[in-house]
Amino acid sequence: MALRTHRRYGEIMQDVEELINDHIKHQKNGTQGRSKLKLLVPSVGVFFTPILLEKAFHFQDTERRISSRRFVAPSFNDIRLILNTAQIMGIIEEGGPPELVTFDGDVTLYNDGECLTADNLVIHRILDMLVRGTKIAIVTAAGYLEAEKYHGRLIGLLEAVKRAIGDGVLKNPVLLVVGGESNYLFSFDVSSPYLLKYIPRSTWMLDEMKAWTEDDIKTLLDVAEAALRDCIKSLGLSADILRKERAVGIIRSNHPLAGRFTREQLEETVLVTQQVVEISPVGRVLPFCAFNGGNDVFVDIGDKSWGVLACQNYLGGIPGSRTLHIGDQFLSAGANDFKARSACTTAWIANPIETVRLLDELTRHSA
């Protein structure tokens, strides 16, 4: 029974893989609008590499015993993990391990609202990648002008890299931090007080980003702030507005009786604010990202696709097919990792433990 089910699931994966391969052929010819997959799924995006679904299914079926289950059908999480494996296998088949791996912060590297401490299992995996020459970037929504605040959030990793350099294990590692989705860039610098050096925007911004005027940025944030204030009033939220240089959002009020926002309140606030900004004149010309941060909602100038693209360009033009972005927010509504799909290959994880397992899997398939 399990063998027959395994074979049938494998055939289904093979059929979908062939649809993707057909779409990739059309992509290369500039006729992706006529692919079979595009006709079936009009919203399908860009594929940077083949997606080895059948091979990935065989691997994940060994790990998760999907075809051995009698009553529980393949789940969303089963499919998500199969796709992650298929993407990793596709990258490696095209040209070996990725040249650049970018990470979200909260929920991807560490639990929501916490820090990357020295006991985090992901640190050794990142160090191993740096030793092998892989370039690393943390692309986070946290937007700070000061290196000190990023040092506080990433202290375990930064101090571990410093020790590895002192021990002679690492030489000239490439470790970047992109803050505010795509607004601030820091580079690891062992001589800096907080191990991060601020990189001026003029040296890394893409030409398209340089066209974002300060007047447009202010106008968009004003529109977003007004929409957020309306949501606070209409939904009865115990919230305060927090305005930054290139972002605006709501955070929980300091009132002693203020509780956590509900998921429904956060999602409603994201969707309302996103729609209001989208239909505004400035929202049609200036990229932005409205997202649910778990216990806050923020609107940032730009988004993670611009953050990843800026990293690729800053590091000499690394293509999307040689870049892997790992994050937890890929649902289309209020999810800021979703936009990275247009810049590079991606892997969707659900918690920091899955990130560790994914990196172990990357090493295993690269061997």
Side-chain angles (χ1 to χ4, degrees), residues 129-252:
M129 288 193 292
L130 288 170
V131 169
R132 294 194 298 268
T134 304
K135 300 170 178 65
I136 302 295
I138 298 169
V139 184
T140 173
Y144 310 128
L145 284 167
E146 307 87 3
E148 179 181 5
K149 292 185 177 179
Y150 288 113
H151 181 267
R153 297 298 299 273
L154 306 172
I155 185 168
L157 175 61
L158 296 175
E159 294 293 339
V161 173
K162 179 183 177 181
R163 285 194 301 273
I165 292 173
D167 294 340
V169 176
L170 272 178
K171 292 183 179 179
N172 303 317
V174 176
L175 173 60
L176 303 177
V177 177
V178 181
E181 313 280 0
S182 58
N183 289 297
Y184 311 102
L185 181 64
F186 293 81
S187 177
F188 182 86
D189 182 359
V190 73
S191 64
S192 295
Y194 297 105
L195 303 179
L196 290 170
K197 178 176 68 176
Y198 176 76
I199 309 298
R201 286 194 186 117
S202 59
T203 64
W204 60 266
M205 288 182 73
L206 302 171
D207 290 341
E208 298 92 333
M209 299 169 77
K210 292 176 182 177
W212 304 349
T213 68
E214 292 302 318
D215 285 345
D216 282 346
I217 289 169
K218 180 182 182 304
T219 300
L220 190 144
L221 294 179
D222 288 344
V223 172
E225 181 175 339
L228 291 168
R229 290 189 184 280
D230 286 344
C231 288
I232 290 174
K233 183 177 180 181
S234 63
L235 298 175
L237 303 178
S238 183
D240 295 326
I241 294 286
L242 179 60
R243 179 84 174 239
K244 299 183 179 182
E245 182 200 24
R246 291 202 165 195
V248 63
I250 61 168
I251 58 174
R252 188 174 61 178

Side-chain angles (χ1 to χ4, degrees), residues 328-345:
D328 68 291
Q329 292 204 17
F330 281 97
L331 292 173
S332 57
N336 58 355
D337 291 305
F338 180 80
K339 295 289 184 71
R341 298 190 317 162
S342 65
C344 64
T345 69

Side-chain angles (χ1 to χ4, degrees), residues 221-333:
L221 294 179
D222 288 344
V223 172
E225 181 175 339
L228 291 168
R229 290 189 184 280
D230 286 344
C231 288
I232 290 174
K233 183 177 180 181
S234 63
L235 298 175
L237 303 178
S238 183
D240 295 326
I241 294 286
L242 179 60
R243 179 84 174 239
K244 299 183 179 182
E245 182 200 24
R246 291 202 165 195
V248 63
I250 61 168
I251 58 174
R252 188 174 61 178
S253 169
N254 289 326
H255 191 280
L257 298 179
R260 289 182 65 89
F261 303 128
T262 66
R263 179 179 61 83
E264 293 80 6
Q265 288 173 327
L266 292 168
E267 290 185 358
E268 177 71 9
T269 302
V270 167
L271 293 172
V272 168
T273 304
Q274 180 172 294
Q275 183 184 55
V276 169
V277 178
E278 278 179 345
I279 64 176
S280 69
V282 70
R284 298 191 184 101
V285 297
L286 189 63
F288 72 94
C289 177
F291 68 95
N292 171 0
N295 200 34
D296 55 39
V297 171
F298 268 87
V299 176
D300 283 329
I301 301 300
D303 57 52
K304 285 195 179 178
S305 68
W306 291 102
V308 173
L309 288 169
C311 283
Q312 292 168 337
N313 184 66
Y314 182 74
L315 296 173
I318 298 174
S321 60
R322 306 296 303 135
T323 305
L324 175 66
H325 177 73
I326 302 171
D328 68 291
Q329 292 204 17
F330 281 97
L331 292 173
S332 57

Side-chain angles (χ1 to χ4, degrees), residues 6-7 9-11 13 53-63 82:
H6 176 89
R7 185 170 58 249
Y9 286 167
E11 290 169 353
M13 293 297 170
L53 285 171
E54 184 183 12
K55 186 177 178 181
F57 166 72
H58 293 315
F59 173 81
Q60 285 293 344
D61 197 35
T62 301
E63 297 288 310
I82 290 169

